[in-house]
Amino acid sequence: MSVQERKARERAVRERLIVATARELAEQQGWDAVTTRRLAERIEYSQPVLYSHFRGKREIIGAVALEGAAEMAVAVRAATSAANSPRERVAALARTYLDFAARNPAVYDALFQLDGGLAYAQEDTPEPLKDAFAALLESLGEVAGDGVHPGLFTEVFWASLHGLATLTRAGRLPPEDAAQRVELLVDRLAVL
């Protein structure tokens, strides 16, 4: 292994450590607790080393969002691939999405609430974000209905899931009705 290869590998390891530490700190204490000073202390590197990887907190949020998008896509595909019918796939997608949002609140915020400097729904949208949307589209496109653009239907269904996730996290919806909300969403919005 050349010196350049070793340095590149070490740099990648440091970058993964920064992102993992930011994510852990955000999940434990919220994004307000994530500062470059605290991250530098936790990973035991100087702030200039941290800034050599990320220009600031915004880019770190973006890196966490991209990691989260990839994880969400994997989770959605795993859940929907085990389903036997379009209805089961859509219900599995909805439950998986809402579960991901509940289990990973800081990642969910990085993806959909905070400014991570990422372009959404544009030509230069990063691949992990495109793939997360594609994971939704794969199951939702087949239940959009005649004359309804599959991408548009996916956006509306996704917006509904986002609303449920956000309102549930904020304590605005009673948690005991979560399963009924999913069933209602699947039965009323999807053409099955």
Side-chain angles (χ1 to χ4, degrees), residues 9 11-21 53-54 67:
R9 187 183 71 216
R11 181 173 177 75
V13 167
R14 274 193 312 272
E15 194 166 298
R16 284 192 303 273
L17 178 62
I18 293 166
V19 171
T21 304
H53 290 275
F54 299 99
E67 186 177 271

Side-chain angles (χ1 to χ4, degrees), residues 10-187:
E10 289 171 354
R11 181 173 177 75
V13 167
R14 274 193 312 272
E15 194 166 298
R16 284 192 303 273
L17 178 62
I18 293 166
V19 171
T21 304
R23 182 176 174 166
E24 178 184 315
L25 186 57
E27 292 292 1
Q28 291 171 353
Q29 299 176 30
W31 278 105
D32 287 342
V34 179
T35 64
T36 53
R37 172 172 279 163
R38 288 184 88 179
L39 286 174
E41 289 172 3
R42 281 203 175 196
I43 63 173
E44 298 179 346
Y45 285 107
S46 67
Q47 282 184 291
V49 169
L50 192 120
Y51 282 116
S52 73
H53 290 275
F54 299 99
R55 287 184 294 212
K57 183 175 176 176
R58 181 179 186 220
E59 284 189 4
I60 294 168
I61 290 169
V64 170
L66 293 176
E67 186 177 271
E71 291 171 9
M72 182 185 291
V74 167
V76 165
R77 285 188 176 111
T80 57
S81 70
N84 295 319
S85 70
R87 187 192 190 293
E88 286 180 21
R89 276 189 289 285
V90 174
L93 178 149
R95 285 190 301 271
T96 300
Y97 183 98
L98 295 171
D99 182 56
F100 182 89
R103 284 185 299 107
N104 304 284
V107 173
Y108 193 80
D109 286 347
L111 270 164
F112 302 120
Q113 304 289 94
L114 302 174
D115 179 10
L118 303 173
Y120 285 79
Q122 298 175 17
E123 204 170 295
D124 61 339
T125 297
E127 195 55 43
L129 298 178
K130 289 180 182 179
D131 189 51
F133 185 78
L136 300 176
L137 180 62
E138 289 162 11
S139 292
L140 295 171
E142 70 179 320
V143 298
D146 292 337
V148 177
H149 188 278
L152 184 61
F153 178 78
T154 300
E155 290 171 351
V156 171
F157 199 94
W158 171 31
S160 299
L161 289 174
H162 177 69
L164 289 175
T166 302
L167 292 170
T168 300
R169 276 186 54 201
R172 303 287 199 280
L173 298 176
E176 62 271 11
D177 296 329
Q180 288 177 289
R181 282 187 205 96
V182 168
E183 295 303 314
L184 184 61
L185 181 63
V186 170
D187 290 339

